[in-house]
Amino acid sequence: MTLSSAIRTIDRSLLSVEADGPTTTLFGTPWTAHIRYSPKYGRSSSTKEMWGLELASLSSLNAGVESVGGRERERFAIAAGELVIFDCTEPSDARWAALLGPWHFAHALFYEPQWRTADIVETFGRLQWTDTPEGMTAQPGRAHTLERSVYLNEVPGVGTLFVENKKTASRQVPQWKGYRAEAGEMWRLAKPPSGELEPLLYVTESAVATLSPWSGPASAQSLDTAFDFLKSIKRIDWTA
């Protein structure tokens, strides 16, 4: 059985993955994403100029609130949607804010002194947001540019798949020849210092994907399961 999953990315591209598999769903959870912006003209280390946020399905909002031990502080409408600000217990020195759309939400942690309501509104206001059933997109203004976007999903019993646009991928593609698979090439990467299983790299014409195998009870105990899953992939496309 050929199964597929797709998401509209922050820059309005379409990320789609197709694989052969015996399960009824290709992935166990909706897609999430790490997004980072930087100043279009010059850089500095200031988080006010270089900043990141996360994207997730609205169905996981409660899980996000619980993960930070959030206590709702403010909730109001802005041009981009409904903005909710929480005081956190984890981390205790931060506020967590979420911009809610009909299907997805964008969220980030804010720290003193740039955690006032005006600072949070100004940060989310740097982008022109559009939420669709396919995914949440945003257009940056003149001052910022999209530096990186990484989309994540969990493959049940296998691991976590991270996918980037090949044009802006942060991971270097090896110079040596990899294993030739149906949709591209595969490599086995160096073992992380944490002692976890070695990640696998899968590169297609338009995307760079990293699969981090799970280890532990009821999950992949070796690279074989992760390798077999990647071999089952028929395509990974990141198209504008």
Side-chain angles (χ1 to χ4, degrees), residues 22-214:
T23 56
T24 55
T25 57
L26 180 57
F27 295 115
T29 59
W31 288 92
T32 60
H34 302 308
I35 312 295
R36 188 169 67 204
Y37 289 89
S38 61
K40 187 173 291 186
Y41 306 104
R43 294 189 181 197
S44 79
S45 60
S46 169
T47 56
K48 192 170 180 61
E49 296 186 28
M50 183 181 296
W51 58 289
L53 54 88
E54 317 288 319
L55 301 180
S57 168
L58 194 62
S59 61
S60 61
L61 177 62
N62 289 339
V65 175
E66 291 177 3
S67 70
V68 298
R71 186 180 74 253
E72 188 171 319
R73 179 185 182 90
E74 295 180 86
R75 179 186 293 257
F76 52 89
I78 60 174
E82 187 176 28
L83 185 64
V84 190
I85 302 173
F86 299 85
D87 288 323
C88 302
T89 58
E90 184 60 43
S92 60
D93 60 342
R95 289 175 183 161
W96 186 69
L99 177 66
L100 311 182
W103 300 276
H104 305 87
F105 70 101
H107 60 99
L109 287 168
F110 293 82
Y111 296 87
E112 195 175 13
Q114 296 168 354
W115 67 351
R116 298 175 305 168
T117 300
D119 296 319
I120 296 172
V121 171
E122 188 274 332
T123 299
F124 282 105
R126 295 172 186 172
L127 305 175
Q128 296 179 349
W129 297 91
T130 302
D131 193 20
T132 74
E134 292 182 297
M136 181 172 265
T137 69
Q139 182 67 33
R142 296 181 179 180
H144 291 84
T145 186
L146 177 64
E147 182 174 309
R148 186 187 181 203
S149 58
V150 184
Y151 280 75
L152 301 76
N153 213 313
E154 297 178 354
V155 184
V158 178
T160 303
L161 188 69
F162 303 77
V163 186
E164 299 179 75
N165 186 335
K166 190 175 182 180
K167 294 180 180 178
T168 57
S170 60
R171 189 180 291 280
Q172 295 291 326
V173 177
Q175 296 300 308
W176 61 92
K177 187 175 181 180
Y179 174 87
R180 187 64 193 173
E182 182 170 354
E185 282 187 274
M186 295 167 51
W187 290 266
R188 180 174 170 176
L189 302 177
K191 193 169 186 176
S194 60
E196 297 175 353
L197 296 175
E198 295 96 322
L200 298 175
L201 185 68
Y202 198 122
V203 179
T204 72
E205 291 186 358
S206 60
V208 174
T210 305
L211 179 60
S212 294
W214 295 337

